[in-house]
Amino acid sequence: MAKEKRDNQTEKLVLEAAMKVFTQKGYAAARMDDIAKEANINRALLHYYFRSKDKMFDLIFEQKVKEFFSGLGQIVFSDRKLEDVIREMVKHEITLIVANPYLPLFVLQELQQSPERLLNHAKASGMSPNLILKRFSVLVNDAIRSKTINKIEPGQLLINIMSLCIYPMIAKPVLKSVLELDDKKFDNMMAHRIGQVSEFILLSIKPTSK
Amino acid sequence: MAKEKRDNQTEKLVLEAAMKVFTQKGYAAARMDDIAKEANINRALLHYYFRSKDKMFDLIFEQKVKEFFSGLGQIVFSDRKLEDVIREMVKHEITLIVANPYLPLFVLQELQQSPERLLNHAKASGMSPNLILKRFSVLVNDAIRSKTINKIEPGQLLINIMSLCIYPMIAKPVLKSVLELDDKKFDNMMAHRIGQVSEFILLSIKPTSK
DNA sequence: GTCTATAGGGTGATAGAC
DNA sequence: GTCTATCACCCTATAGAC
């Protein structure tokens, strides 16, 4: 029972351990030994399941990039009006990020080293970032034309939304210190931001002269 | 002339090379050999000037944290009205970051590994992040009381400002791909954002019923 | 101050017993 | 499938000649 029930569960176990170590330390600082210990497993077994550190990393990175981008597509391509789309985007992004605190920094860090990986992986997720922008632009420009919102460049607005959702978690150590929060209070603050950020954005694009 | 004029210039040369390599690759992935080559110098010389990789790193990291935080203090403690303070903050942050593209990701990445370093270094810069927040809160709360702006939590507003300025550079590879920009156009876009972001923020906090 | 050579420790990967 | 032992390489750091 101790040594048998595992089999193909082990692979999953190892992947989770690797995910944790890679995302927290980055590729270069991650040690095969860290991953092995995290999974309560022998170092040699890692190579038995996934030939090399590189192979393991690629597997995880690809999956994480998908997580990072997918979901947005569904929201943007729904038939909701812009205001609700924005609310949904903010809620989706912040929720995802609170559940995966190390994800954004990890993805962005590794992406600097080899930016070309982005396109491949994102496309493999069935929803390219470009498509999302194109659709979002249509929504924004329609809203501008119908005077539902103020004039704003769709690309800038999209950047603003992402920034407001993602950056705070990346800067967690700074913010914890500056705002004098412990981990629990920090998470509460992030949840609180779902409403705050939506309001902040919607107030900004609301037509000035009603 | 080739081997002599250096002397104490070499130290500076090496620090610049180290800064470049460390900020681009992070501590773990940075190689002493990379730094040596970047500085056109022998590997052993690095240890002659700065005993170890760690010592070198600390020196650079401390300086970069200072860059990251200083300047904000002067702006916040000036006598300008909130609107101008915000404009100045945005301009200062984006300008600093465009000039040091790898700085934010580097600082934030290394900060995750050892968050406690933040307080020491930030305080050593003579302007603790906490002080900045305290002062900023006074400005915001005064403006709220005098109906100059809408009600908003000062901490949230500060986070928003930082997010909108810093995140885009961290996500540069993603944005270049999504917005289909080359390096030159990306820098132009960031410069363009100085005005865009200021407007975005000020519109959001502007009193609704004038 | 600057170089070459090398020590010393760590890390990814493999061989081979069970 | 799982383990121990070990190889081969890489990287930091130092010793010592010049």
Side-chain angles (χ1 to χ4, degrees):
Chain A
M1 184 163 137
K3 285 187 179 179
E4 289 175 19
K5 285 280 178 182
R6 294 183 179 184
D7 288 7
N8 71 17
Q9 275 194 345
T10 312
E11 192 167 323
K12 213 168 187 175
L13 195 76
V14 172
L15 267 184
E16 271 174 40
M19 205 168 295
K20 186 171 174 183
V21 175
F22 275 135
T23 52
Q24 289 187 19
K25 301 198 171 186
Y27 178 80
R31 299 281 157 258
M32 293 300 269
D33 204 43
D34 296 336
I35 298 171
K37 274 179 185 144
E38 181 70 33
N40 289 317
I41 222 177
N42 191 279
R43 242 189 10 255
L45 261 194
L46 297 180
H47 291 92
Y48 173 79
Y49 283 107
F50 319 85
R51 271 180 51 85
S52 71
K53 186 182 177 184
D54 278 319
K55 292 254 199 304
M56 253 175 100
F57 180 80
D58 276 341
L59 228 62
I60 289 166
F61 188 72
E62 187 181 342
Q63 187 190 327
K64 287 301 177 183
V65 168
K66 281 184 196 168
E67 276 183 51
F68 205 71
F69 284 103
S70 73
L72 271 189
Q74 290 181 9
I75 294 169
V76 176
F77 278 92
S78 72
D79 281 331
R80 279 172 281 230
K81 60 177 178 174
L82 182 63
E83 182 181 327
D84 292 335
V85 166
I86 290 174
R87 282 189 205 280
E88 282 301 309
M89 286 173 75
V90 170
K91 187 178 171 187
H92 172 266
E93 286 299 294
I94 291 184
T95 305
L96 175 69
I97 278 164
V98 168
N100 302 272
Y102 295 98
L103 186 55
L105 190 59
F106 168 70
V107 170
L108 294 172
Q109 164 79 22
E110 304 297 342
L111 227 39
Q112 315 277 325
Q113 312 293 331
S114 48
E116 64 284 357
R117 273 205 277 213
L118 176 63
L119 285 173
N120 310 329
H121 288 152
K123 279 179 183 166
S125 81
M127 179 59 65
S128 84
N130 298 66
L131 265 180
I132 293 176
L133 173 63
K134 294 276 188 295
R135 168 65 179 171
F136 186 73
S137 298
V138 171
L139 293 177
V140 171
N141 287 328
D142 281 355
I144 293 172
R145 224 172 290 116
S146 67
K147 313 270 187 193
T148 317
I149 65 167
N150 257 330
K151 194 159 171 45
I152 188 170
E153 296 166 37
Q156 295 285 329
L157 179 55
L158 188 60
I159 294 176
N160 291 351
I161 295 172
M162 292 298 135
S163 301
L164 291 166
C165 293
I166 300 173
Y167 180 78
M169 187 57 87
I170 295 178
K172 182 173 175 179
V174 184
L175 296 181
K176 277 181 62 180
S177 160
V178 172
L179 303 175
E180 292 169 345
L181 306 173
D182 58 26
D183 277 311
K184 191 184 160 78
K185 282 183 181 168
F186 183 84
D187 281 354
N188 289 342
M189 187 273 282
M190 285 300 290
H192 179 56
R193 265 183 82 77
I194 294 178
Q196 296 280 308
V197 167
S198 299
E199 283 317 301
F200 188 81
I201 296 167
L202 294 174
L203 272 175
S204 183
I205 62 179
K206 199 174 64 172
T208 39
S209 56
K210 179 57 182 295
Chain B
M1 184 163 142
K3 285 186 181 181
E4 290 175 19
K5 285 278 178 181
R6 294 181 179 183
D7 286 8
N8 72 14
Q9 275 195 343
T10 312
E11 192 166 323
K12 213 168 188 175
L13 196 75
V14 171
L15 268 184
E16 270 173 42
M19 204 168 297
K20 185 170 175 183
V21 175
F22 275 134
T23 52
Q24 289 187 19
K25 300 200 172 185
Y27 178 81
R31 299 283 158 256
M32 292 300 268
D33 203 43
D34 297 335
I35 299 171
K37 275 178 184 143
E38 180 69 34
N40 289 316
I41 223 176
N42 192 279
R43 246 192 1 259
L45 259 196
L46 297 181
H47 292 91
Y48 172 78
Y49 283 107
F50 319 86
R51 268 180 53 86
S52 70
K53 186 183 177 183
D54 278 318
K55 292 254 198 304
M56 253 175 102
F57 179 80
D58 276 342
L59 228 60
I60 290 167
F61 189 72
E62 187 181 341
Q63 186 189 327
K64 286 302 177 183
V65 167
K66 281 183 197 169
E67 275 184 52
F68 206 69
F69 284 103
S70 72
L72 271 189
Q74 291 182 8
I75 294 170
V76 176
F77 277 92
S78 71
D79 281 331
R80 279 171 280 229
K81 58 178 178 174
L82 182 63
E83 182 180 326
D84 291 334
V85 166
I86 290 175
R87 284 189 204 279
E88 282 301 309
M89 286 173 76
V90 170
K91 186 178 172 187
H92 172 266
E93 286 300 295
I94 292 185
T95 305
L96 175 69
I97 279 165
V98 168
N100 302 271
Y102 296 99
L103 185 55
L105 190 60
F106 169 70
V107 170
L108 293 172
Q109 163 79 21
E110 304 298 343
L111 227 41
Q112 315 277 326
Q113 311 293 331
S114 48
E116 64 284 357
R117 272 204 277 213
L118 177 63
L119 286 173
N120 310 329
H121 289 153
K123 278 178 183 165
S125 79
M127 178 61 63
S128 85
N130 298 66
L131 264 181
I132 293 176
L133 173 62
K134 294 276 188 293
R135 167 65 181 173
F136 185 73
S137 298
V138 170
L139 293 178
V140 171
N141 287 328
D142 281 354
I144 293 172
R145 223 173 290 118
S146 67
K147 313 272 187 191
T148 317
I149 65 167
N150 257 328
K151 195 160 168 47
I152 188 170
E153 296 165 37
Q156 295 285 329
L157 179 55
L158 188 58
I159 294 176
N160 292 351
I161 296 172
M162 291 298 136
S163 300
L164 292 166
C165 293
I166 300 173
Y167 180 78
M169 187 58 87
I170 296 178
K172 181 173 175 179
V174 184
L175 297 182
K176 276 181 64 180
S177 160
V178 172
L179 303 176
E180 294 169 341
L181 306 173
D182 57 26
D183 276 312
K184 191 184 161 78
K185 282 182 181 168
F186 182 84
D187 280 354
N188 289 341
M189 188 273 283
M190 287 299 291
H192 180 58
R193 264 183 83 78
I194 294 178
Q196 296 280 308
V197 167
S198 297
E199 282 318 299
F200 188 82
I201 296 167
L202 295 174
L203 272 175
S204 183
I205 61 179
K206 199 174 64 172
T208 38
S209 56
K210 180 53 186 294

